[in-house]
Amino acid sequence: MRDARAGLHRRIALETPEHVKLEYQLADLGSRAAALALDLAIIAAAILLVTLVSQYAGGLGRAVLYLLSFFAVWGYFLFFEAVWDGRTPGKRAVGLRVLHDGGEPLSFQGSVLRNLIRIVDLQPGVTGMAGAASILLNRRAQRLGDLVAGTIVVRDTGGGEMFGDEPPTAGRSRRPRLSADQFALVAGYVARRAGLEPSVRSRVAASVWDAVRSAAGQDGVDSQAAPDTRLVRLHAEEAPRHAARQGGTSLQAAAMARERRQAWAAYTDLVDKGRAGALDRFSESEVRAFGHLYRGVTADLARARTYGASPGLLEAVERWAGAGHNLLYRAKGRAGVPLGRWIGRELPRAVRRHHRPVLLAALLLFGPMLASYAAVRDRPARARAIMPAGMLARAENTARGDINASYIDVEGAERPALSSALVTNNVGVSFVAFAGGLLAGVGTLLILVFNGVLLGAAFGLYANNEVLGVILAFVFPHGVLELTAICLAGGAGLGLGSALLVPGRRTRREALRERGRAFLSLVGGSVLLLIVAGLVEGFYSPSGLPAAAKFAFGGTTALLLAAYFGLAGRGSGDGPRGRVKATPVP
C-alpha cells in the first residue's frame, strides 16, 4: 500500500486481490467532526426521548429503557456501521465510509474495536486532543481507534451517479491556459465538488482558484463571481483543450466509454441491488453475471488510466470498481466463530493464553482492596474521606437495626430495572477499562485501583460497624462473576497498553492492531459474565434467602468458573478459519 497526495486532499492507494489499484480520498478532520456532530445529535435526542418516557414506565419498562440508553451510547456506531457497510447516519450525510486499511470492507471485529476506543478519542483534554492530532498527523488520517482496528475513513461519493462520458476531443481552437498539473488540480476539484458541504466547497474553491488565477487570466465570467463558478467554467473550457493535446489516448477512452456503457449500466444495477442485502439477494445467474461484470470493470479501470481518461470518467470507474470490491469481499468476510464454540472453546483458551495480564489486573484490583480495607479498619475516620454519604448512612442504620438485615431492599417489581441498570453500568465500566489501555495502560490501572479502593473501604466500613456479614452476603453471590469480569477487561486493557510500552519486534501500530484483536475475546467474556452477574445481583442477591444459601451460591459459582477457565476447550485446536482478506500493497 502507498499513500499519495492529490491536490488539496490526502489520498491513499490500495491494491485488490485482482491486482487493481483503487484510490480513495481520506476524510479530513473537519468532515469527520461534522459527521460526528450529526451522530451525537441523534444520540442526544434518543437519550432525551428515553429519559422522558422513563418517567411514565414501570420497573420492566425502565429496564428496557436502560438498555436502550446503553445502546444509544455504546451500540449506535457499531450497529449502523454494520448495517450500512461502514457508515453511520452522520457519515452517510457527509459522504464518508469506514474501510480497513487493506481495502477490505469494515468487519464486525474492526467496528467493535474502533468504537470501544471511541471513549478515549472523545474525551475532552489530553486524550481528545491526542485523537484529533492523530488524524492530522497520521498519514492515513487515523484516530486512535482506527490505529487499533486497522481502519481508515474515506470520502464516499456513494456511487449513485452513472458513469460519465469522456469529454469530446473536438474544439481545439485554442491552446490550454493551464499547465497539466494546474488542470489536474481544477479537474480534481470539479470531480469532487458535489460531495463537499457548501462551506467546505467555498473554502476549497478559493484555495484552488488562488493557485490557478494567474494562469487562468480573463475567463469571461463576472469578476464578482464566486471561485466555484469560475472553476466550473474554467474546467469546461480547458477539458477539451487538454484532451486534444493528449492525441489518440482520449479518443480511446471515449470509445471505451461508448462501448462499455451497456455493461456498466448492468453492473451498477447489480451493485445497487447487492448493497441492500449483499450477494444473498442474488440468484445464481446474477452471481455469475456480477463476477463477470466486476472483472470487466476492474479491467476498464486499468484501461482508463492507460488511455488518459478525464478525471470525471476515471473517478466514476474507480468508484464503481470500489463499490463492487466492497460488496464482493463483504460477502466473503462473514465467516466467524459460532457463539456456542466461542463460549465452549475460544473464550477459556483466550483466558489461559493471556493469563499473565489477567493476573496482573487481579493484583491491581485486590491489592488496593486489601490495603483500603486495612486502612479503614485501622482508622475508621478514613471511610468518610473515601465513601459517599449514602453508603455511610446505610452502614450506620444497619448497625442500629433501623433497616432490615439485607444490604439492599428492592421490591420485586423494581428488580428488572435494578438488574438492567447494574448490567449496563458494569459493562460500560469494562469497556472503559479496556479502552483505557490505549493510554499506555494508565487508564486501565486507574479503573482497577479505584474500584479496588472503593470495595475495600466498603468492607472496612461495614466491619467497623460490626455488620460485615450483611454486605458479604449481598456481594458474594454475584461478586465472583463481577470481579472476574473486571479482571478480564482489565487484563485486556493492560494487554493493549503493552503494545505501546513493549511492542517487541513489531512497530507500535502493528502491535496495537494485533493485540487489540487478540484481547477482544477477553472483553467479550467480561460482557458475558457481567450480564449473568447483573441478573444475579438484581434478583438473587437482594432476596430474603438465608446468608448461608447466598454464600453457597457464590462458592459454587467460583468452583464452576475455575473449572470452566481451567478445563474447557482443551485438546486439539480446530482447523484454520477466518475471513478472506484483501492483500495490501507494500
Side-chain angles (χ1 to χ4, degrees), residues 134-213:
S134 179
I135 295 175
L136 291 173
L137 301 178
N138 186 282
R139 59 180 182 171
R140 295 180 178 88
Q142 294 171 299
R143 63 173 175 84
L144 300 179
D146 291 319
L147 292 173
V148 177
T151 53
I152 56 175
V153 182
V154 300
R155 297 291 305 183
D156 176 39
T157 51
E161 304 171 5
M162 293 294 293
F163 290 100
D165 287 319
E166 183 69 354
T169 58
R172 311 178 186 179
S173 58
R174 298 180 61 186
R175 295 179 59 186
R177 286 178 284 173
L178 304 180
S179 67
D181 289 341
Q182 289 173 326
F183 178 71
L185 179 62
V186 173
Y189 166 76
V190 172
R192 295 171 180 83
R193 60 186 292 275
L196 300 176
E197 293 293 317
S199 59
V200 176
R201 183 189 304 172
S202 297
R203 293 198 303 270
V204 174
S207 298
V208 174
W209 177 249
D210 286 343
V212 302
R213 182 199 303 269

Side-chain angles (χ1 to χ4, degrees), residues 29 54 83 102 120 145 191 223 244 264 266 268 312 325 332 335 368 376 398 486 497 519:
L29 180 60
S54 65
V83 171
V120 176
S223 60
W264 289 347
T268 55
H325 169 268
K332 288 186 177 181
V376 171
T398 303
I486 293 175
F519 286 101

Side-chain angles (χ1 to χ4, degrees), residues 408-538:
I408 187 172
D409 186 21
V410 182
E411 297 181 0
E414 296 298 320
R415 289 182 180 177
L418 173 64
S419 180
S420 179
L422 292 169
V423 168
T424 54
N425 176 75
N426 293 338
V427 170
V429 170
S430 73
F431 287 166
V432 174
F434 171 66
L438 192 58
L439 305 176
V442 174
T444 304
L445 184 147
L446 292 176
I447 290 289
L448 293 170
V449 171
F450 177 77
N451 281 276
V453 168
L454 282 183
L455 191 58
F459 289 153
L461 171 65
Y462 270 72
N464 289 338
N465 285 277
E466 299 182 352
V467 286
L468 179 61
V470 174
I471 190 172
L472 288 179
F474 175 79
V475 170
F476 211 70
H478 64 271
V480 173
L481 293 167
E482 192 171 295
L483 296 179
T484 301
I486 293 175
C487 291
L488 291 183
L494 295 174
L496 184 63
S498 71
L500 296 176
L501 299 175
V502 283
R505 296 183 178 180
R506 296 171 174 80
T507 65
R508 284 180 171 80
R509 180 199 301 274
E510 293 169 344
L512 276 175
R513 186 181 309 183
E514 179 184 284
R515 295 178 196 179
R517 294 177 180 178
F519 286 101
L520 187 58
S521 190
L522 295 187
V523 181
S526 175
V527 172
L528 181 64
L529 292 180
L530 287 173
I531 292 174
V532 178
L535 293 173
V536 175
E537 187 175 2

Side-chain angles (χ1 to χ4, degrees), residues 114-126:
R114 74 186 306 273
N115 287 308
L116 285 182
I117 304 300
R118 189 181 297 276
I119 190 66
V120 176
D121 283 314
L122 288 182
Q123 290 300 310
V126 176

Side-chain angles (χ1 to χ4, degrees), residues 535-562:
L535 293 173
V536 175
E537 187 175 2
F539 292 93
Y540 186 84
S541 294
S543 68
L545 292 173
K550 296 181 179 181
F551 284 117
F553 183 93
T556 302
T557 301
L559 292 175
L560 292 175
L561 272 182

